[in-house]
Amino acid sequence: MRAYNAALMSAVQLAPTRFRPRHLLGIEGLSREEITLLLDLSDSYVEQNRAREKKSTLLRGRTIINLFFENSTRTRTSFELAGKRLGGDVVNMSAEASSIKKGETMTDTATTLNAMLPDVLIVRHADSGAVKLLSEKVDCAVINAGDGTHEHPTQALLDALAIRRHKKRLEGLLVAICGDILHSRVARSNIHLLSTMGARVRVVGPPTLMPAQIERMGVEVFHDMKKGLADVDIVMMLRLQTERMQGNFVPSVREYFRHYGLDYQKLEVAKPDALIMHPGPMNRGVEIDSEVADDVDRSLIREQVELGVAVRMACLDVLTRNLLSNTEGNGK
Amino acid sequence: MRLPEGAIAGRTPGGRGGPALAYVNARLLDPATGMDAPGGLVARDGMIADIGAHLAKAGAVAAQGIETIDLGGKCLAPGLVDIRVQLREPGDEHKETISTASAAAAAGGVTTMVALPNTHPAIDDAALVESVARIARETSLVRVETYAALTRGLQGKEMTELGLLAEAGALGFTDGTQATKDAQLMRRALSYAKVFGKPILQHPEEPTLSRGSMNEGEISTRLGLPGIPAAAEIMQIERDLRLAALTGGRLHIPCVTTAESLRAIREAKARGINVTCDTAAHYFALNELAVGDYRTFSKVAPPLRTEDDRRAVVAALKDGTIDAIVSDHAPHDQDSKRLPFAQAAFGTVGLETLLPITLELVHKGELTLLAALDLLTARPAKLLGLPSGRLAKGVHADFVVFDPDTPWKVEAKKLVSKSKNSAFDDRLVQGRVLRTVCGGLTVYKV
């Protein structure tokens, strides 16, 4: 028996990676094992990040380009730190500073950057499917840092990591995702991830911010916070994405907060140990009450940001390992 | 029409001024008369001079010294009449020209194209209708007709000179791929156009509800794409049916895609409202799943719908509710399609796949061969008052020779059309055009 276990362990260690995809474009399609692998690896990077010496050499000689067609501070910084802590060279490109402003198409930008032989491209774009389109034009690994209202896989992974570290499991938990589901890539990625891992997901929000036939994604739909939050383990708030709105989805911020803003009164119906999450940046007084957001006993919001770096290190780790196992370098 | 390569004005057999040319040993298919029998025809001076069973045998006219082509029993049907084609000339010649579209049409067995007026500038003036006709005379291999804009510059505000446009040859009036929002203007247009006996064509999408990029439902939600609900179509159609009833005007609804829309049109026809409709080949051959992982070639307007809707379109083709099948040929270059889905242009090319995609309905047993051809020839021609779309003595010698069974694979890059944005790229189809004859001259041959 002992020999058998030893053989099993060495087999696990020998396997170069169990994460097969070349890119990380979304959570949809990832298996339970692949997600677990990423979360386990992230846990180890949390330790590295909390140590005094935060830097390793895993990505020494590797080039990572942060290509952000849409503004972002926290996600870009998080990816930048992740790359640097693994010893890689990280370059940031944002829409303002680049040739995109001069009229170059997205695919031309991708081809140009590809010619500089990066190992990983981290891409954010305002259009759903844009990162997938770009990934078809390049030879390196691509990480989706958010595409339109489609997916934001690293956010879902860090959310899952935060939950797992506190609840010790994902399976069987009841999670409510609340607010502007329609415009939220975070909601979609979380729905895929949490359902794959065996959690039950509710979506709560006004009908105008609920995408068509969302129930077909295996979630329960609620329009009343008091009902939607009943007995949940996790309350995940979403930002009211005012910049994405093309019309009148809700009449006023005041009315929105009254019905869908998270405060202690609405939180009463949740489990006593229910935890509160938010992908940030928060609109205090719009979707979440300040006191709730800052409640150290219940709010995971600050920890989510910390874990984000670890999760992104894990993603860079597995994707560059794939590159290693395929080729020596990636020049042609 | 321009002469096809190798033809000589006044000399080439079958064409104008040339000697007669006989096509014998064919399976003659003429939906207008219900003919499906062995036979042949003689083309002389661009017209059909003789047709019938007596020309079935190879050598039937050899004694008269007429040059003869033996078709080896292949199908011979009227050239297809495609009543919804976007030519892109004038204005977007980098996507398609009348000349390149005509070559694609010839390759697809289409001998008459009716163009939408949504060019740059829009065809909103009699002089522009005449200019399209002139360019077609000089550069097209097949017949080109055109609709004219319903409002100046397709702006939806001021009615164009419908009477003068009709006199110049416009077959109907439409603002192309956008619906006329103003109900009062639409009412007056339907009413006024009665004088000239021309239909008003109205794109079936309520403009404020159709700003999305694909059918609204589970797939659009998963892909995070803004959806266009099926209700946007029925709302526009129901409003216009009421205006048609109010005015007694003639309404044609192109590209109908949903079960509910078809039910409304079926009922309106039964009530005696003067309405006709068509659908495009992609609406009975594909559903919303074709969008897959953001395939922009499958982005069309109205959007591809659910499987239930697709089946309803097939049923409406069978029961006669739909009057014609069109290609809705909408060429777009790479720069308009190699974009994130929401930014990409709407439309697919379709001239070269119109026949094989329609034949899928025959191979699946949904339609007889004659009924399928009827929807591509006689019925659309009759709808617009065109003399073509049939095989008879004294009509233009416009016909297509094809083998309904030949299997082949659609490869977008091999298409003749200048643009390669085909929603049917990589599709395995059956039925191949072998020869297209327009005005007695062979404009395409395998």
Side-chain angles (χ1 to χ4, degrees):
Chain A
M1 194 64 198
R2 178 174 290 178
Y4 171 75
N5 278 344
L8 198 68
M9 282 184 68
S10 69
V12 170
Q13 280 161 1
L14 278 178
T17 172
R18 284 170 290 161
F19 191 84
R20 289 161 291 114
R22 200 178 126 209
H23 307 299
L24 182 65
L25 300 177
I27 298 293
E28 190 173 18
L30 290 189
S31 68
R32 209 169 167 139
E33 291 68 32
E34 285 164 337
I35 292 167
T36 307
L37 171 92
L38 284 171
L39 295 179
D40 292 350
L41 196 53
S42 301
D43 267 327
S44 73
Y45 282 119
V46 174
E47 299 315 311
Q48 179 178 327
N49 288 340
R50 286 180 181 173
R52 208 177 130 263
E53 177 54 57
K54 295 180 173 61
K55 196 153 174 161
S56 66
T57 56
L58 187 78
L59 296 188
R60 190 158 69 193
R62 297 284 194 181
T63 310
I64 297 154
I65 301 180
N66 258 332
L67 178 56
F68 278 60
F69 294 93
E70 194 183 62
N71 283 334
S72 155
T73 311
R74 71 175 64 207
T75 307
R76 205 205 63 218
T77 311
S78 181
F79 270 112
E80 186 177 352
L81 276 178
K84 285 183 169 162
R85 284 188 183 162
L86 290 173
D89 296 313
V90 186
V91 179
N92 287 318
M93 270 189 74
S94 66
E96 272 70 36
S98 74
S99 47
I100 299 145
K101 270 246 160 126
K102 299 173 196 155
E104 188 178 65
T105 67
M106 184 195 75
T107 44
D108 281 343
T109 306
T111 327
T112 305
L113 293 178
N114 189 50
M116 299 178 193
L117 307 178
D119 297 283
V120 185
L121 265 180
I122 296 154
V123 187
R124 170 170 285 194
H125 198 283
D127 282 309
S128 303
V131 180
K132 157 95 172 36
L133 177 63
L134 190 144
S135 74
E136 291 163 4
K137 293 276 173 189
V138 298
D139 304 309
C140 59
V142 174
I143 297 177
N144 180 2
D147 65 324
T149 56
H150 178 224
E151 283 231 41
H152 189 355
T154 55
Q155 178 71 43
L157 286 164
L158 75 88
D159 288 344
L161 185 66
I163 298 171
R164 204 179 71 166
R165 286 172 74 92
H166 283 265
K167 299 286 183 190
K168 309 297 171 215
R169 65 190 167 111
L170 292 169
E171 187 154 10
L173 292 179
L174 187 56
V175 181
I177 306 176
C178 309
D180 183 358
I181 312 290
L182 180 66
H183 298 100
S184 178
R185 51 193 174 214
V186 175
R188 283 171 180 78
S189 287
N190 265 309
I191 291 169
H192 289 307
L193 192 149
L194 293 166
S195 340
T196 305
M197 299 310 285
R200 278 169 57 207
V201 182
R202 291 176 175 178
V203 288
V204 190
T208 47
L209 292 175
M210 210 51 90
Q213 301 185 340
I214 181 85
E215 68 284 354
R216 298 260 193 109
M217 288 178 79
V219 298
E220 277 182 281
V221 181
F222 291 86
H223 301 306
D224 180 338
M225 283 286 268
K226 281 264 169 138
K227 287 180 184 151
L229 295 189
D231 298 318
V232 300
D233 297 287
I234 305 288
V235 182
M236 215 178 252
M237 297 307 297
L238 298 172
R239 193 162 63 92
L240 190 65
Q241 305 220 15
T242 41
E243 80 273 18
R244 256 186 239 292
M245 293 207 175
Q246 297 173 4
N248 292 316
F249 290 92
V250 285
S252 74
V253 164
R254 180 168 82 150
E255 181 163 319
Y256 185 78
F257 185 72
R258 171 80 61 87
H259 294 109
Y260 297 100
L262 186 67
D263 53 22
Y264 281 114
Q265 205 198 342
K266 295 195 187 85
L267 197 56
E268 265 173 16
V269 295
K271 286 221 180 97
D273 61 346
L275 297 170
I276 298 148
M277 304 176 75
H278 193 298
M282 282 185 284
N283 298 308
R284 288 170 186 267
V286 178
E287 70 264 349
I288 191 161
D289 182 74
S290 268
E291 262 187 86
V292 178
D294 299 333
D295 186 333
V296 284
D297 297 326
R298 313 195 68 172
S299 167
L300 295 185
I301 298 171
R302 256 196 293 175
E303 193 175 337
Q304 282 174 277
V305 180
E306 183 204 337
L307 300 183
V309 180
V311 158
R312 284 158 186 139
M313 288 164 84
C315 294
L316 287 169
D317 181 346
V318 294
L319 291 177
T320 49
R321 268 200 255 182
N322 277 355
L323 290 177
L324 249 186
S325 61
N326 294 339
T327 50
E328 280 299 300
N330 56 341
K332 280 194 171 165
Chain B
M1 288 180 290
R2 86 172 138 103
L3 286 171
E5 215 171 299
I8 304 163
R11 293 272 191 80
T12 303
R16 281 181 69 179
L21 178 63
Y23 291 87
V24 299
N25 190 17
R27 175 183 170 189
L28 289 181
L29 291 151
D30 184 30
T33 56
M35 172 171 60
D36 179 357
L41 62 76
V42 175
R44 182 183 292 130
D45 203 20
M47 313 297 266
I48 296 176
D50 193 9
I51 180 165
H54 59 285
L55 296 167
K57 291 258 161 55
V61 288
Q64 300 166 44
I66 297 176
E67 191 181 321
T68 300
I69 293 170
D70 187 330
L71 295 179
K74 299 295 183 203
C75 294
L76 189 158
L80 311 190
V81 178
D82 186 349
I83 62 169
R84 192 177 173 87
V85 177
Q86 303 188 45
L87 293 177
R88 305 282 184 241
E89 182 175 0
D92 292 294
E93 287 86 353
H94 60 292
K95 294 184 174 182
E96 192 86 283
T97 64
I98 291 179
S99 172
T100 57
S102 80
V110 175
T111 53
T112 303
M113 300 190 279
V114 186
L116 284 192
N118 60 344
T119 46
H120 299 102
I123 308 303
D124 60 358
D125 188 277
L128 288 162
V129 173
E130 280 155 13
S131 118
V132 168
R134 184 184 53 75
I135 299 169
R137 266 199 310 280
E138 287 168 5
T139 70
S140 177
L141 287 169
V142 303
R143 287 173 217 287
V144 176
E145 302 283 348
T146 189
Y147 300 112
L150 178 63
T151 64
R152 281 183 208 278
L154 309 175
Q155 294 295 304
K157 293 193 179 107
E158 265 179 279
M159 209 191 297
T160 52
E161 297 164 314
L162 304 192
L164 297 179
L165 288 162
E167 266 175 46
L171 295 182
F173 307 100
T174 177
D175 277 352
T177 55
Q178 66 206 47
T180 311
K181 219 161 135 184
D182 186 332
Q184 181 69 283
L185 188 140
M186 185 63 184
R187 174 194 180 175
R188 289 189 183 131
L190 277 164
S191 187
Y192 186 62
K194 284 195 290 182
V195 183
F196 315 103
K198 305 290 180 201
I200 304 286
L201 290 83
Q202 174 82 295
H203 181 78
E205 286 193 293
E206 201 286 318
T208 59
L209 259 186
S210 52
R211 287 179 189 141
S213 50
M214 72 170 294
N215 186 47
E216 182 173 293
E218 184 190 352
I219 316 279
S220 67
T221 290
R222 279 180 183 274
L223 294 174
L225 291 172
I228 303 170
E233 183 170 311
I234 183 71
M235 281 171 68
Q236 188 64 49
I237 289 175
E238 278 183 337
R239 185 200 80 172
D240 292 325
L241 285 174
R242 280 174 196 277
L243 293 176
L246 180 66
T247 57
R250 207 176 137 202
L251 176 67
H252 179 79
I253 305 163
C255 293
V256 181
T257 71
T258 76
E260 271 192 288
S261 307
L262 289 160
R263 200 175 306 131
I265 293 167
R266 195 176 289 125
E267 283 168 18
K269 284 184 163 186
R271 284 206 309 276
I273 294 172
N274 200 352
V275 59
T276 49
C277 70
D278 67 55
T279 196
H282 35 274
Y283 297 118
F284 59 78
L286 300 172
N287 63 27
E288 60 183 347
L289 292 172
V291 171
D293 233 351
Y294 305 101
R295 286 196 63 213
T296 57
F297 286 4
S298 301
K299 183 180 177 184
V300 290
L304 297 174
R305 303 287 187 187
T306 64
E307 176 59 12
D308 285 346
D309 288 318
R310 189 196 67 80
R311 286 187 195 172
V313 171
V314 174
L317 287 166
K318 286 165 84 168
D319 73 14
T321 303
I322 296 176
D323 299 277
I325 296 172
V326 300
S327 69
D328 196 21
H329 185 74
H332 284 296
D333 58 350
Q334 287 267 340
D335 291 346
S336 312
K337 282 290 194 181
R338 285 297 289 177
L339 288 171
F341 199 88
Q343 289 178 33
F346 286 98
T348 169
V349 291
L351 283 165
E352 292 161 79
T353 46
L354 181 59
L355 181 63
I357 297 298
T358 304
L359 287 176
E360 285 182 358
L361 296 172
V362 178
H363 294 302
K364 284 181 189 154
E366 303 283 6
L367 293 176
T368 64
L369 183 52
L370 270 182
L373 289 171
D374 200 15
L375 286 156
L376 294 169
T377 58
R379 288 178 73 187
K382 189 164 165 244
L383 202 151
L384 294 177
L386 294 167
S388 46
R390 59 205 179 95
L391 297 175
K393 213 182 275 191
V395 306
H396 289 300
D398 296 356
F399 55 87
V400 55
V401 179
F402 66 98
D403 182 329
D405 299 317
T406 311
W408 60 290
K409 188 165 125 181
V410 179
E411 285 171 89
K413 61 177 190 294
K414 289 191 182 164
L415 294 176
V416 174
S417 174
K418 198 166 193 174
S419 292
K420 315 294 179 190
N421 57 307
S422 173
F424 298 111
D425 191 16
D426 274 342
R427 192 180 181 94
L428 295 167
V429 293
Q430 252 183 300
R432 184 123 226 199
V433 173
L434 301 171
R435 180 194 288 266
T436 305
V437 176
C438 190
L441 294 174
T442 296
V443 291
Y444 173 81
K445 190 167 167 287
V446 169

